[in-house]
Amino acid sequence: MTEQQPQSGSRQRIDKWLFFARVAKSRSLAQERVVAGHVSVNGQKIRQPSHQVKAGDRLEIAMPERDLVLIVKLPGERRGPYEEARLLYEDLTPPREKKPFTALEQAVRAPGAGRPTKKERRALDDLRGEPDWSAD
């Protein structure tokens, strides 16, 4: 059984296109994303993996890390390397906002969260009346 290759003006299932464009790791994951309502085509949320997309359609895909905005250029023929998949769409996703990294933010923790500091441990020992081992 041979599968026909899609022509440039033809339509393709959204789940197959997401898989071929390397937006989803598998076709079943692409189907789950569509059914969950995370995909919009031309501003309309779709919930059917069989929805047909064509060249010129605008896809908005809610991903865990960020939202993607893609314009379909071509239907996919196979799941190939990234360079080949990149030809299937135009990426209009806004760039990520870069947050300045400060080491101080990671060093701060909420009081009582996690392991106590040495200072907190000594205060607990004083409160409990436990012996001070450093006095020996």
Side-chain angles (χ1 to χ4, degrees):
M1 182 165 103
T2 60
E3 191 174 323
Q4 290 184 345
Q5 300 292 331
Q7 298 172 354
S8 61
S10 66
R11 294 176 173 259
Q12 186 171 38
R13 288 175 57 113
I14 185 72
D15 59 342
K16 278 180 110 175
W17 190 89
L18 292 171
F19 176 62
F20 291 154
R22 303 185 75 82
V23 175
K25 289 186 178 183
S26 69
R27 192 162 160 203
S28 60
L29 289 175
Q31 289 173 348
E32 288 175 13
R33 187 156 299 286
V34 172
V35 170
H38 297 298
V39 179
S40 297
V41 177
N42 297 325
Q44 298 281 8
K45 281 199 184 227
I46 58 166
R47 293 192 181 265
Q48 293 181 330
S50 62
H51 183 86
Q52 302 287 315
V53 293
K54 63 184 183 324
D57 283 348
R58 178 186 174 99
L59 303 179
E60 296 172 15
I61 306 154
M63 301 293 283
E65 308 85 37
R66 64 183 183 150
D67 296 341
L68 299 176
V69 179
L70 308 174
I71 302 292
V72 177
K73 288 166 94 176
L74 297 169
E77 295 180 12
R78 68 183 188 103
R79 182 175 170 93
Y82 172 76
E83 293 79 19
E84 188 178 313
R86 183 72 178 92
L87 300 174
L88 300 179
Y89 60 88
E90 179 183 347
D91 192 358
L92 301 178
T93 305
R96 294 183 186 189
E97 295 178 13
K98 294 206 175 198
K99 297 179 182 176
F101 175 77
T102 59
L104 183 60
E105 289 178 8
Q106 284 195 342
V108 176
R109 64 177 179 83
R115 190 172 175 175
T117 64
K118 193 171 190 177
K119 182 178 181 182
E120 291 170 339
R121 192 178 67 245
R122 286 182 177 160
L124 286 172
D125 288 345
D126 289 343
L127 183 65
R128 291 182 191 143
E130 294 181 17
D132 184 9
W133 299 106
S134 62
D136 287 339

